[in-house]
Amino acid sequence: MQVTYWAEHAWLGDRVEPGVAIEVTDGRITAVRTEVPSPPPGATTLRGLTLPGLANAHSHAFHRALRGRTQVGSGTFWTWRDVMYGVADRLTPDSYFALARATYAEMALAGITCVGEFHYLHHSPGGAPYADPNAMGEALIAAAAEAGIRITLLDTAYLSSGFGEAPNHHQTRFSDGTADAWAERAAALKPAGHARIGAAVHSVRAVPADQLTTVARWADEREAPLHVHLSEQTAENEACLAAHGRTPTRLLADHGVLGPRTSAVHATHLTDEDIALLGGATSTICMCPTTERDLADGIGPAVRLQRAGSPLSLGSDSHAVIDLLEEARAMELDERLRTRTRGHWTAAALLRAATEDGHASLGWADAGRIEPGALADLTTVALDSVRTAGPAPRHGAETAVFAATGADIRHTVVGGRHVVRDGVHQLVPDVPRALADSIAALSG
C-alpha cells in the first residue's frame, strides 16, 4: 500500500519544518520531502504539527478502571493497591479484552502509537491456568490490534508477595510458581505484525533473588526488552536491605538484570551507587510522573540518571490520565519544583523521550523518527486550539510539550494507516461508551 501524507508542519528531530510530504509504502516511510508548500495530488493533509508517534512505555491496562475511584479520600500506595486488587479479581479474558481495547483506543486518541503493556494478570482467580495459559496476554494483543496500535507485551514474572513470602490470595493469579514455569508459559507467546513479546520482573520483592537470572536469561536469549519496577517505594528499599543487605538496584545488577535492553520503571528512591549502576549499564529509565504524583511516590532523579548514561522514556502506568504530552511536561515541571530552577530538558529532549527512546525501550528501534526506513507512525497536534493558538509554528515543539494536551491530538497514523482522523477514532466508533461499558461490567 502506498500513501502520501502532507504535514502542514513536521518535527524532524531538531526543528519544525513547514510543508513536509511523507511518502509511505507498506507501512514504512520511503521519502520525506521538505519545502512542499501545498498538498501533492492525492495526499492526505495533516493540519497542525506532526510528530513521530508517541510511545507509552509503561501501562497496566486494567488500572484504567480505577480512574476516579482511587482519588476518593486519602491513603498511600499500599491502600491504592488494595483497590487495584479488587478490580483484578473480577477480570476474565473477555472482560479484559473489552477494557484493554477501549483503553488502547483512548491511547490512540491521545497520539500514542505503541504501548508497553506490563502484564502480570495471567491466570484465573485462585491461580488455576486457563485452558490457554496465555489467554489473558492474547486478549491484550488482540485488543491492541482492534484499537489500531502496536504493543510490546511485557510478560511479567510475579512469584511472591514479598521477600520470602508466598503470594497472597489476590496474587495467586499473577504467579506461575517458579521462574522456570513462567519462562515456559511466556515462551508460547507469539509476536505478530503489530505485537512484540518482552519480559518483565515485577519487582525485587515479587521475584526471589535466585530466580532473577532465569528471567534475565530468557530475555537475553531472545534479544527482547526486559522491564522492572524499581524502588518506587522506600518500603521496598528497606525490605530489600533487610533481606539481602543491598539495594534493589544492586541486587538486579548482581543477578545480570541490568543492561541496554533493560528499562527500570520509576527508579524514584535511589542511592548514588544505584544511579551509577543504571547509567553505567545504559538501562533506560521509564518515568511515569502522573502516576508517581497521584500515588505520592516522590520525584525520581531523572536528570542525574540521564547524565549518568540512562536514556529516558515515559509511561502513563495507572492511567490516572492518558496523555504523553502531560508526562513529558510533568517530568520537567516536577524537576523545577524540586530544584527551584528551570530548563532541565529542552522540548526536543522531552519529545525524544516520548518518541524515539520510548520505542527503543519497547524493542521498536525502527520507530519514533520521521525519516526514510522508519515505521510510518505519526501523531499530529493541533496548533489552533484554545491551548495552542498564538505561538509561531517554529515554536511548535515547545507549544506541544508545554501547552498542548491529549485533547489537541488531531490525527494518529500507525504503519501508514489513519487510525485517528480529525480527532475521531476510525476503528472504535464510540470510545467513551466503550470505556464506560467495559468499566461498568467490572463494578462490584
Side-chain angles (χ1 to χ4, degrees):
M1 180 186 75
Q2 294 183 324
V3 63
T4 298
Y5 288 97
W6 179 79
E8 184 181 28
H9 303 279
W11 173 250
L12 299 184
D14 59 357
R15 68 197 185 282
V16 174
E17 286 281 353
V20 178
I22 304 166
E23 298 176 8
V24 178
T25 301
D26 296 332
R28 289 189 180 270
I29 298 171
T30 53
V32 177
R33 294 187 288 117
T34 58
E35 300 182 355
V36 181
S38 60
T44 298
T45 297
L46 305 176
R47 294 280 178 196
L49 174 66
T50 295
L51 311 168
L54 305 178
N56 187 351
H58 189 67
S59 162
H60 302 291
F62 76 92
H63 290 190
R64 177 59 180 82
L66 300 172
R67 187 182 298 176
R69 299 188 193 187
T70 58
Q71 282 74 34
V72 176
S74 60
T76 67
F77 169 88
W78 307 103
T79 55
W80 169 89
R81 190 177 70 161
D82 290 338
V83 179
M84 179 269 287
Y85 285 155
V87 173
D89 288 345
R90 292 190 287 275
L91 284 162
T92 68
D94 288 343
S95 62
Y96 204 6
F97 166 81
L99 177 58
R101 174 179 176 267
T103 302
Y104 296 155
E106 181 183 356
M107 291 185 193
L109 288 171
I112 293 164
T113 57
C114 185
V115 61
E117 184 60 40
F118 199 102
H119 167 56
Y120 54 82
L121 195 55
H122 302 305
H123 307 300
S124 64
Y130 289 102
D132 173 0
N134 284 308
M136 296 292 269
E138 297 290 354
L140 292 166
I141 292 172
E146 292 213 4
I149 69 172
R150 304 184 194 279
I151 185 171
T152 297
L153 187 74
L154 299 161
D155 196 278
T156 303
Y158 194 134
L159 308 174
S160 63
S161 64
F163 298 95
E165 299 178 17
N168 66 34
H169 69 282
H170 297 293
Q171 297 164 342
T172 53
R173 70 181 310 190
F174 307 164
S175 177
D176 292 292
T178 66
D180 286 335
W182 166 84
E184 182 178 0
R185 180 188 51 72
L189 286 161
K190 302 301 180 188
H194 75 295
R196 294 181 179 173
I197 308 301
V201 169
H202 179 273
S203 56
V204 293
R205 69 178 185 274
V207 178
D210 61 359
Q211 300 189 57
L212 290 169
T213 302
T214 299
V215 183
R217 185 185 303 118
W218 188 98
D220 189 55
E221 289 171 350
R222 292 161 175 78
E223 298 185 349
L226 174 61
H227 287 219
V228 55
H229 289 135
L230 178 63
S231 293
E232 181 178 6
Q233 293 289 321
T234 54
E236 176 182 290
N237 292 353
E238 293 162 1
C240 189
L241 285 166
H244 297 290
R246 65 197 85 173
T247 67
T249 301
R250 169 53 74 183
L251 189 68
L252 293 174
D254 289 349
H255 289 83
V257 176
L258 302 185
R261 285 194 302 275
T262 299
S263 292
V265 182
H266 304 304
T268 308
H269 303 284
L270 303 179
T271 67
D272 291 345
E273 182 193 39
D274 293 340
I275 292 169
L277 286 169
L278 289 160
T282 63
S283 294
T284 296
I285 306 301
C286 182
M287 305 300 291
C288 305
T290 64
T291 291
E292 288 151 7
R293 67 193 183 194
D294 182 54
L295 299 181
D297 288 341
I299 301 170
V303 171
R304 294 181 61 202
L305 284 159
Q306 189 170 50
R307 287 174 179 166
S310 288
L312 300 177
S313 65
L314 298 164
S316 63
D317 192 1
S318 68
H319 311 315
V321 297
I322 293 177
D323 187 339
L324 259 287
L325 298 176
E326 173 61 24
E327 303 295 344
R329 174 164 55 247
M331 188 164 70
E332 166 67 24
L333 298 186
D334 286 356
E335 189 68 17
R336 292 182 186 186
L337 284 175
R338 192 176 67 81
T339 63
R340 291 182 288 176
T341 59
R342 303 175 75 228
H344 302 278
W345 293 278
T346 63
L350 294 168
L351 286 176
R352 182 184 174 100
T355 57
E356 185 173 358
D357 287 345
H359 280 100
S361 80
L362 297 176
W364 298 88
D366 47 354
R369 300 177 302 281
I370 300 177
E371 64 181 35
L375 291 166
D377 297 354
L378 310 169
T379 186
T380 302
V381 182
L383 295 180
D384 57 359
S385 77
V386 294
R387 287 164 293 277
T388 61
R394 68 178 181 275
H395 298 307
E398 288 77 13
T399 303
V401 171
F402 291 106
T405 73
D408 296 310
I409 301 301
R410 184 170 278 159
H411 302 282
T412 304
V413 174
V414 183
R417 182 189 196 185
H418 211 155
V419 175
V420 174
R421 186 189 297 264
D422 293 318
V424 177
H425 202 291
Q426 303 298 292
L427 306 177
V428 182
D430 188 343
V431 178
R433 174 53 55 190
L435 285 162
D437 288 349
S438 60
I439 293 169
L442 301 174
S443 296

